[in-house]
Amino acid sequence: LEFARAQRPAGRPLRRETFTAPGDRVLVITWWETPDDGSDHTGAFRPPELPDPPPELLSRPVHRWRFTSLGTD
């Protein structure tokens, strides 16, 4: 958790949330402004990423997913 909180991606996300779960799991979710040209759907837009933690902090591989908001209901 300390490692994740200390990391800052290049640029500033619109929002960032950090969660914990059993087993020393840490989840960081960031929201980014995407271009209006649709390139976020083609994979051309790549938001900055946090660096991988050092191996001694990992119990399993790092996972990354990119989602596109479809709005709220």
Side-chain angles (χ1 to χ4, degrees):
L1 177 60
E2 186 177 322
F3 175 85
R5 284 187 165 164
Q7 304 310 303
R8 297 287 174 240
R12 185 170 173 91
L14 296 173
R15 181 173 163 185
R16 174 182 168 151
E17 289 190 49
T18 304
F19 300 85
T20 61
D24 292 327
R25 289 189 171 103
V26 176
L27 170 66
V28 178
I29 299 177
T30 57
W31 283 258
W32 296 90
E33 188 69 42
T34 58
D36 290 333
D37 62 4
S39 61
D40 56 321
H41 296 290
T42 65
F45 174 72
R46 304 289 290 187
E49 294 182 349
L50 298 177
D52 286 355
E56 63 270 15
L57 295 179
L58 296 175
S59 60
R60 61 187 220 168
V62 171
H63 292 72
R64 289 186 172 93
W65 298 278
R66 288 179 182 77
F67 296 91
T68 300
S69 174
L70 300 178
T72 58
D73 294 331

